């Protein structure tokens, strides 16, 4: 089952426990005017749904899939296995004692031929996944290019202001 909402970005996560991290991603997408399809789909617990989602994502209007998971994180890989769309992976620290390194290595170490663009562990990666997705969309959309330029300018000004406040 894929949402009927017309949106170019899907955010899938392995568990509702990943939402505390992925909120940053969804909010950042919202700042760019994108309301993503958001799904909880597990590569291990609901493998058939994962395969079905990835297989049908493109024809449902999705252009970029962001996939987040913790522990032996195979969700992004499962998406990349079935979809020809770009897949961005976000490793989540699930509190299993390895600080998210388990998920990072599981997400990043894809075999040749099945790439996953892997972000940093946790909220930084979640936020960057949203920005990276918009950068992909911006290749064919001047509106997103303008929004990205404004975002960069705001970010720069923010640092300059903080520096000025210290002087
Ligand atoms: C992964 O296992 C999920 O992505 C989550 O990060 C982790 C733990 O899942 P829960 O036990 O919290 O559902 O598949």
């Amino acid at each position: 089952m894929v949402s009927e909402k017309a949106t170019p970005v899907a955010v899938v996560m392995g568990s509702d426990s990943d939402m505390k991290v992925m909120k940053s991603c969804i909010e950042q997408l919202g700042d760019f005017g994108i309301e993503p399809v958001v799904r909880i789909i597990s590569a291990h617990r609901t493998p058939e749904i994962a395969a079905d989602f990835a297989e049908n994502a493109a024809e449902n209007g999705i252009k970029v899939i962001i996939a987040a998971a913790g522990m032996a994180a195979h969700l992004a890989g499962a998406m990349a296995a079935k979809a020809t769309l770009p897949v961005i992976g976000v490793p989540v620290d699930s509190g299993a004692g390895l600080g998210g390194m388990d998920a990072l290595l599981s997400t990043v170490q894809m075999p040749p031929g099945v790439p996953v663009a892997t972000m940093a562990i946790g909220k930084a990666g979640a936020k960057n996944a949203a920005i990276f997705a918009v950068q992909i969309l911006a290749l064919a959309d001047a509106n997103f290019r303008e929004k990205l330029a404004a975002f960069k300018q705001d970010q720069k000004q923010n640092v300059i202001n903080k520096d000025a406040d210290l002087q």
Side-chain angles (χ1 to χ4, degrees):
M1 182 192 71
V2 177
S3 165
E4 287 172 5
K5 267 191 293 182
T7 172
V9 181
V11 176
V12 296
M13 61 196 91
S15 168
D16 60 337
S17 65
D18 299 322
M19 187 57 99
K20 60 188 180 304
V21 168
M22 292 312 288
K23 211 167 161 276
S24 308
C25 178
I26 295 163
E27 284 171 0
Q28 186 63 65
L29 286 168
D31 288 349
F32 284 109
I34 297 172
E35 191 190 337
V37 170
V38 180
R39 297 284 304 275
I40 295 166
I41 299 175
S42 168
H44 303 122
R45 294 166 176 158
T46 62
E48 296 86 0
I49 295 172
D52 182 64
F53 183 88
E55 217 157 32
N56 293 302
E59 74 180 53
N60 282 294
I62 301 299
K63 296 192 168 123
V64 184
I65 299 173
I66 297 172
M71 303 189 76
H74 292 130
L75 184 59
M79 293 292 122
K82 286 277 187 182
T84 53
L85 299 169
V87 176
I88 304 171
V90 181
V92 174
D93 176 4
S94 60
L98 295 174
M101 281 302 291
D102 41 2
L104 173 63
L105 296 178
S106 303
T107 304
V108 78
Q109 286 292 82
M110 290 298 292
V114 193
V116 166
T118 305
M119 303 290 114
I121 298 166
K123 284 186 185 171
K127 183 181 170 84
N128 279 346
I131 298 164
F132 198 63
V134 176
Q135 287 174 329
I136 292 169
L137 298 174
L139 291 170
D141 190 322
N143 182 38
F144 284 133
R145 282 201 290 280
E146 277 168 30
K147 286 183 175 179
L148 283 165
F151 172 83
K152 274 210 178 297
Q153 183 55 38
D154 283 356
Q155 188 166 245
K156 177 177 162 182
Q157 196 56 52
N158 209 9
V159 174
I160 291 169
N161 292 347
K162 282 179 181 165
D163 178 54
D165 286 348
L166 279 180
Q167 308 312 314

